[in-house]
Each structure stands twice: as structure tokens, then as C-alpha cells.
Amino acid sequence: MKNFVLTFIMILLSSLSIAQTQQGTVEVYGTAHYERKVECYQVEIEIIRSVAEYNSHESPPLSMDQLEVRFFKNMKEAGFGQNEFEPARKNDYYTMENPDERRFYTFETTSEERFIEFIKLKKADWIYYSNKKVTYKPFTEKEKIITEAIEDARKNATVLAKVMGTKTGRILSISDFHYETDSLPSFSLEDHLETYRIAVKFAVE
């Protein structure tokens, strides 16, 4: 029977991710899930003349200005106006030493559907998407989410305390392990979902 109880406690510790016990205390993780609100979606675009020249069957090869005109013509035919693209500055070798080698633009939209439609477009081999990201609005429901995470931690601590033959008491300390950035370098629908994670130490009686 004693071995069974020990095995059960080990399984429980694993399922709670963290569970530390000291004399008179128990510490567990608590989590809460929430959905972030999108500010905008962005795609950084490079028009690369050297790639176009390498793969071109035209003689002479198109200039950078001609490639730019062709890019916007293709975008217009796909339903994207030139006013949806903003020139982007890049302080790197290509813009300082070879201004006619590459041109940089940023496509920005607040519509997820429009964003997905754009990145799925068939594009020429001299068009490169160097970065796709989603930027979020400031997080404004922190108190609500932390409260939910504390309640989750209390449930986990209550189960553990019951196994040990004790009861949870007051909260002794809370450690916040949540890290939040205002943008993500890649995009998928799941990226909107965040998990807030804290560690809570309870007194046990």
C-alpha cells in the first residue's frame, strides 16, 4: 500500500509540472489561457535584381526600376494596390553599397484574411519575403488572467495537499514566469493563443 501511495504521488508531481513541498508549504504552477488582440500583420518584401538577372530570358535584363514596375503590376492584377506597400529602409550592405541591387517594401494590413491571401500569392523567383510577423495590441487584462492562474494553482495545490493528508492555506508568494512580446517573427493562427504561467507557494495546515 505504501508503494502504491508513493507511486501515485510521483505521477501527480509530474502532471502538475512543478510541485515543491517544504515543511508547512507547497508550491505549484498555475496557468491561464487567453487570446491576444491583433494590431496588424506585416510582410517584409525584397525585390532582388541579381536573381532576376540570373533567371531572366530577356535581353537586356530588366533594370531595378523595371522590376519594381513589374512587381506592382503583378500585385495590382492579384488585387493588391500600390498604396498597400510602404518603402522600407535597410541599413545594410545592399542599400549602402548596391542601391540598385535590392528594393525593400512592407505590406501591412489589419485583416487576417487579407494577410493570408497575400502570403499565398504565387510570386516571381526574384521576390523574397524576408519576414512575416503579427503585431499585437497592448495586453490589458492582466489582473483577470493572473486571478485565473492563481485559481488554477490553488486547484493543483489542493489536490497535492489532499494526497499528503493536509489542506492548503493562505498564499505565501507568487512568482510570475510570463514573458510577452508585442510581435512574433512568424505567423500561424495558434500564435494568437497565449498561456500565462505563475508559481504560487501556499501554506499547508
Side-chain angles (χ1 to χ4, degrees):
M1 182 64 181
K2 183 179 295 185
N3 290 336
F4 173 78
V5 172
L6 289 174
T7 301
F8 181 76
I9 291 175
M10 293 300 296
I11 293 173
L12 185 63
L13 289 175
S14 176
S15 68
L16 295 179
S17 298
I18 178 175
Q20 299 178 0
T21 61
Q22 298 175 353
Q23 186 67 33
T25 68
V26 59
E27 184 174 5
V28 295
Y29 273 138
T31 60
H33 306 287
Y34 65 98
E35 184 173 358
R36 303 186 68 182
K37 305 300 181 183
V38 173
E39 182 76 35
C40 67
Y41 305 90
Q42 292 179 323
V43 182
E44 294 180 5
I45 304 155
E46 294 182 36
I47 303 175
I48 310 172
R49 192 188 68 82
S50 59
V51 175
E53 182 176 357
Y54 180 80
N55 294 319
S56 177
H57 299 291
E58 302 180 57
S59 184
L62 296 178
S63 67
M64 189 72 248
D65 289 338
Q66 290 172 320
L67 286 173
E68 195 172 52
V69 169
R70 179 169 291 185
F71 167 74
F72 287 119
K73 178 177 179 292
N74 293 344
M75 290 296 102
K76 184 177 179 180
E77 291 174 353
F80 294 88
Q82 187 168 342
N83 62 333
E84 296 182 78
F85 300 87
E86 289 290 334
R89 296 178 63 85
K90 295 285 184 178
N91 295 319
D92 59 15
Y93 168 79
Y94 295 103
T95 53
M96 292 187 291
E97 302 295 333
N98 294 282
D100 292 327
E101 278 297 314
R102 300 190 182 201
R103 297 277 171 86
F104 299 88
Y105 282 89
T106 300
F107 171 76
E108 182 176 309
T109 179
T110 58
S111 167
E112 184 175 290
E113 291 76 15
R114 189 79 167 155
F115 175 79
I116 294 174
E117 181 184 358
F118 180 78
I119 61 178
K120 287 185 175 180
L121 284 177
K122 183 178 180 180
K123 60 184 186 297
D125 53 16
W126 41 271
I127 302 297
Y128 177 62
Y129 294 164
S130 57
N131 191 21
K132 300 184 285 289
K133 69 178 182 179
V134 54
T135 300
Y136 294 100
K137 295 179 180 179
F139 183 41
T140 59
E141 299 181 332
K142 192 168 185 177
E143 183 176 349
K144 174 178 177 293
I145 298 303
I146 290 179
T147 299
E148 291 178 6
I150 290 173
E151 288 305 310
D152 182 61
R154 187 179 294 279
K155 290 177 184 178
N156 294 338
T158 298
V159 173
L160 187 62
K162 185 177 181 180
V163 172
M164 297 186 298
T166 60
K167 295 182 179 180
T168 55
R170 63 187 180 90
I171 293 175
L172 300 176
S173 66
I174 299 175
S175 300
D176 192 333
F177 290 96
H178 184 67
Y179 173 76
E180 182 175 294
T181 179
D182 62 356
S183 64
L184 293 173
S186 60
F187 174 78
S188 69
L189 296 179
E190 289 75 20
D191 285 338
H192 298 334
L193 300 176
E194 286 279 341
T195 299
Y196 206 105
R197 182 174 284 104
I198 60 175
V200 184
K201 182 181 289 186
F202 294 90
V204 294
E205 303 167 353

